[in-house]
Amino acid sequence: GKYMSVSHMPKMEEHIQMLCGEDYLNYESKEDVYPCIISQRIMEDFNLVEGEVIDFVNWEDSNGKTLKLVVAGIFKEKESVDNFWYIEPWEFENNLFVSEETFNYVMKNYESKYVYFKHNVLLDYNQINYKNVYKLLDKTKSVVAQDEKVMETYSGLLDEFKSSEKTVNIILW
């Protein structure tokens, strides 16, 4: 079956264009109904429209009230070449995006069996050099060692850089 996730991306509003409706920061909703924005894919896959209220019947707060989100608007990326969109909006197949305030409220007041956190970091490779590659690699390995669920994909590249740097030094000597 299909499911939906309540999600937040910091500074997302700076990188989107609203196709219709408003972003979650400017939308005025009724009490106990929180605004969200959705991608075109969610709109199509779930047949949602601006103004539609989504009732999460399995999520109740301590007073027995279910979580309700209203579709404030539908968005797309402002610029397709923006590095912010490491994962394109089309790839978010079940995410309803809310403000940081709403996200924190939901996390605090509604129980969920699973909480997923994903953090993507795009390295500015122009700033990596022989002086800091060892430190960056050590820090990366330290973070990964602290949490088995942390996954990184660039240490192999840094190891290659170290090897290349050593080869260049040997040739120069």
Side-chain angles (χ1 to χ4, degrees):
K2 292 184 178 183
Y3 68 95
M4 295 181 184
S5 298
V6 178
S7 304
H8 174 71
M9 288 177 66
K11 299 183 181 179
M12 179 181 184
E13 58 278 354
E14 297 170 16
H15 303 272
I16 62 172
Q17 174 185 343
M18 298 307 298
L19 296 173
C20 67
E22 300 180 62
D23 66 35
Y24 45 66
L25 297 175
N26 296 312
Y27 189 85
E28 289 197 33
S29 60
K30 299 175 187 170
E31 189 177 333
D32 298 329
V33 180
Y34 304 95
C36 69
I37 58 174
I38 61 173
S39 68
Q40 290 175 289
R41 180 173 186 170
I42 296 290
M43 175 189 72
E44 292 170 9
D45 288 354
F46 289 90
N47 293 318
L48 295 172
V49 294
E50 175 192 349
E52 190 164 347
V53 175
I54 303 160
D55 192 355
F56 288 80
V57 294
N58 294 326
W59 285 16
E60 291 184 356
D61 66 10
S62 58
N63 298 322
K65 290 184 181 178
T66 58
L67 174 63
K68 291 185 175 104
L69 299 179
V70 61
V71 177
I74 295 138
F75 74 91
K76 72 174 197 163
E77 73 270 18
K78 193 181 283 185
E79 296 179 33
S80 61
V81 294
D82 186 349
N83 285 337
F84 180 83
W85 295 110
Y86 173 73
I87 299 172
E88 295 180 35
W90 189 255
E91 295 179 67
F92 293 104
E93 56 189 347
N94 58 9
N95 302 79
L96 307 172
F97 292 98
V98 297
S99 68
E100 182 176 8
E101 180 182 344
T102 298
F103 185 78
N104 289 336
Y105 178 82
V106 169
M107 294 304 296
K108 181 179 177 185
N109 293 289
Y110 293 89
E111 264 190 56
S112 175
K113 283 185 178 181
Y114 305 101
V115 175
Y116 297 97
F117 175 79
K118 187 169 188 174
H119 186 80
N120 293 311
V121 178
L122 296 177
L123 296 177
D124 183 355
Y125 63 89
N126 292 315
Q127 300 299 315
I128 299 173
N129 56 44
Y130 69 93
K131 293 177 184 176
N132 63 18
V133 70
Y134 293 95
K135 188 175 185 177
L136 180 57
L137 195 52
D138 287 344
K139 288 286 185 190
T140 299
K141 289 179 179 179
S142 172
V143 168
V144 171
Q146 290 176 25
D147 187 344
E148 64 192 39
K149 292 183 178 141
V150 171
M151 194 174 77
E152 58 81 24
T153 58
Y154 58 86
S155 63
L157 221 54
L158 296 178
D159 283 330
E160 282 180 38
F161 181 86
K162 281 181 5 185
S163 296
S164 298
E165 186 260 331
K166 283 182 184 175
T167 303
V168 169
N169 281 338
I170 291 169
I171 293 170
L172 291 175
W173 286 96

